[in-house]
């Protein structure tokens, strides 16, 4: 079952991924300095992205693994509004039947749009009959992150709880993807993303390594390739070796168009299949 958890985690941070990888100790209180801005983000007010994930290993070439959907929408929040982010990863195809691996993972994030700091994250992880739910809350005024894990199939069991301190700008595994889209990306530029997950704070270095014109569902577009260090000591996925890269359109939209993950289990490729915005859909 560890293999399945890794595949769904990798898939969602890709276009990706969901995390809940390892729970390792990282010095608390580390986060990006918030940079308030009144700029409308490229995924506002409404955006929906549909991806398809494929798996390859040895003689198994490009087997359908999962469908992935990302949604972003502005929702009223008092006198202002909040960014509501949603991601769903669902297993499908021959891969799921061959290995009898059925999974579904849903992530919902609430983000404060001015500072772009996550406020709350809920995750529902279904792997066959096994179900787990987690809820993380991020109180920026108190600098406190709390995390609760529950088993809905066993409501009498004691929930697992933990907490950590933080300050400044913090992301979760979903908002991190959207946060990257708010950055000014340049070849050779590196930056760190601080992600709160499982009651811990992880530092994820990201580097912009290449610019290339590629074929996508959006047409032939200029795109930037980013490498993120998700694997290794004190990373989201500590006990595995792997590489992660993400292609983002080099335009005002900053749309993730594809991603690639290489692991000991094989390689995963995620490609954008459809875009729906408040404007006409892109097929």
């Amino acid at each position: 079952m560890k293999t399945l958890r890794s595949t769904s985690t990798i898939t969602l941070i890709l276009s990706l991924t969901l995390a809940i990888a390892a729970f390792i100790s990282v010095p608390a209180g580390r986060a990006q300095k918030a940079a308030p801005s009144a700029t409308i983000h490229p995924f506002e007010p409404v955006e929906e992205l549909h991806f398809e994930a494929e798996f390859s290993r040895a003689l198994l070439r490009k087997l359908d693994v999962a469908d992935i959907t990302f949604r972003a929408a502005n929702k009223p929040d008092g006198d202002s509004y909040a960014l509501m982010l949603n991601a769903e990863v669902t297993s499908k195809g021959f891969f799921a039947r061959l290995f009898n691996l059925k999974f579904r993972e849903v992530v919902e994030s609430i983000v404060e749009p001015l500072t772009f700091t996550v406020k709350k994250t809920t995750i529902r992880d279904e792997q066959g009959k096994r179900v787990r739910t987690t809820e993380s809350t991020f109180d920026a005024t108190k600098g406190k992150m709390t995390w609760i894990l529950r088993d809905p199939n066993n409501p009498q069991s004691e929930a697992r709880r933990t907490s950590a301190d933080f300050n400044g700008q913090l992301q979760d595994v979903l908002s991190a993807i959207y946060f990257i889209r708010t950055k000014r990306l340049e070849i050779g530029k590196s930056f760190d993303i601080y992600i709160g997950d499982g009651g811990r704070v992880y530092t994820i270095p990201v580097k912009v390594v290449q610019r290339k014109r590629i074929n996508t569902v959006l047409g032939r577009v200029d795109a930037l390739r980013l490498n993120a260090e998700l694997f290794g000591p004190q990373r989201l996925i500590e006990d595995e070796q792997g590489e992660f890269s993400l292609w983002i359109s080099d335009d005002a939209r900053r749309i993730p168009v594809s991603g690639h993950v290489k692991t000991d289990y094989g390689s995963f490729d995620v490609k954008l299949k459809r875009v729906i915005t408040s404007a006409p859909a892109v097929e």
Side-chain angles (χ1 to χ4, degrees):
M1 198 55 74
K2 176 183 175 183
T3 302
L4 173 55
R5 186 157 224 23
S6 300
T7 58
S8 64
T9 294
I10 290 168
T11 302
L12 182 46
I13 276 195
L14 252 201
S15 282
L16 231 261
T17 209
L18 264 232
I20 317 187
F23 302 121
I24 53 178
S25 297
V26 176
R30 300 169 62 185
Q32 285 130 326
K33 182 179 179 181
S37 171
T39 302
I40 298 298
H41 303 108
F43 37 83
E44 294 186 56
V46 178
E47 180 190 76
E48 187 170 298
L49 306 177
H50 294 259
F51 299 87
E52 185 176 72
E54 296 177 331
F55 172 78
S56 297
R57 179 178 181 179
L59 298 179
L60 299 176
R61 306 298 298 176
K62 294 187 178 301
L63 299 179
D64 289 346
V65 177
D67 287 324
I68 306 166
T69 302
F70 280 6
R71 300 181 183 90
N74 294 353
K75 299 292 184 181
D77 184 18
D79 295 332
S80 184
Y81 74 97
L83 285 172
M84 306 295 292
L85 308 178
N86 176 281
E88 181 173 346
V89 182
T90 306
S91 61
K92 72 167 190 174
F94 177 74
F95 182 89
R97 295 193 299 271
L98 177 64
F99 296 103
N100 194 28
L101 297 178
K102 295 183 179 180
F103 60 86
R104 177 176 178 265
E105 198 148 14
V106 178
V107 181
E108 294 182 347
S109 303
I110 303 175
V111 175
E112 200 291 308
L114 188 62
T115 61
F116 215 92
T117 296
V118 65
K119 298 172 64 177
K120 184 177 180 179
T121 308
T122 58
I123 299 176
R124 182 178 176 87
D125 177 20
E126 303 173 4
Q127 298 180 17
K129 296 181 180 180
R130 177 187 179 278
V131 180
R132 295 292 185 272
T133 63
T134 62
E135 179 179 290
S136 301
T137 56
F138 307 84
D139 190 333
T141 59
K142 296 180 180 179
K144 181 68 69 175
M145 169 179 57
T146 60
W147 176 83
I148 303 174
L149 170 67
R150 295 185 175 92
D151 179 0
N153 292 332
N154 189 10
Q156 295 182 346
S157 64
E158 185 176 356
R160 178 181 172 184
R161 303 169 184 267
T162 187
S163 63
D165 297 327
F166 76 96
N167 61 72
Q169 199 172 22
L170 194 67
Q171 309 303 321
D172 63 16
V173 294
L174 176 56
S175 70
I177 301 172
Y178 288 89
F179 174 74
I180 289 176
R181 298 176 62 186
T182 70
K183 301 284 288 183
R184 182 174 180 177
L185 304 176
E186 300 174 357
I187 298 294
K189 182 178 180 180
S190 299
F191 54 92
D192 291 336
I193 299 179
Y194 298 92
I195 296 179
D197 182 66
R200 301 289 187 268
V201 177
Y202 300 87
T203 304
I204 306 300
V206 179
K207 185 173 183 179
V208 186
V209 297
Q210 185 181 5
R211 185 176 188 272
K212 185 179 179 181
R213 195 162 182 80
I214 61 176
N215 294 319
T216 74
V217 71
L218 306 175
R220 190 164 175 80
V221 301
D222 291 325
L224 296 168
R225 179 166 67 90
L226 288 72
N227 291 346
E229 296 183 23
L230 303 181
F231 298 85
Q234 298 191 344
R235 300 289 184 248
L236 275 171
I237 306 173
E238 180 186 27
D239 55 353
E240 297 176 22
Q241 298 296 314
E243 300 174 357
F244 169 82
S245 62
L246 179 67
W247 286 94
I248 293 181
S249 63
D250 188 18
D251 55 24
R253 297 172 296 178
R254 287 283 191 261
I255 294 179
V257 293
S258 68
H260 178 77
V261 177
K262 182 180 179 180
T263 73
D264 294 337
Y265 304 113
S267 296
F268 298 84
D269 289 286
V270 177
K271 291 186 179 181
L272 179 67
K273 294 298 183 179
R274 189 182 184 199
V275 179
I276 302 174
T277 66
S278 51
V282 178
E283 297 284 357

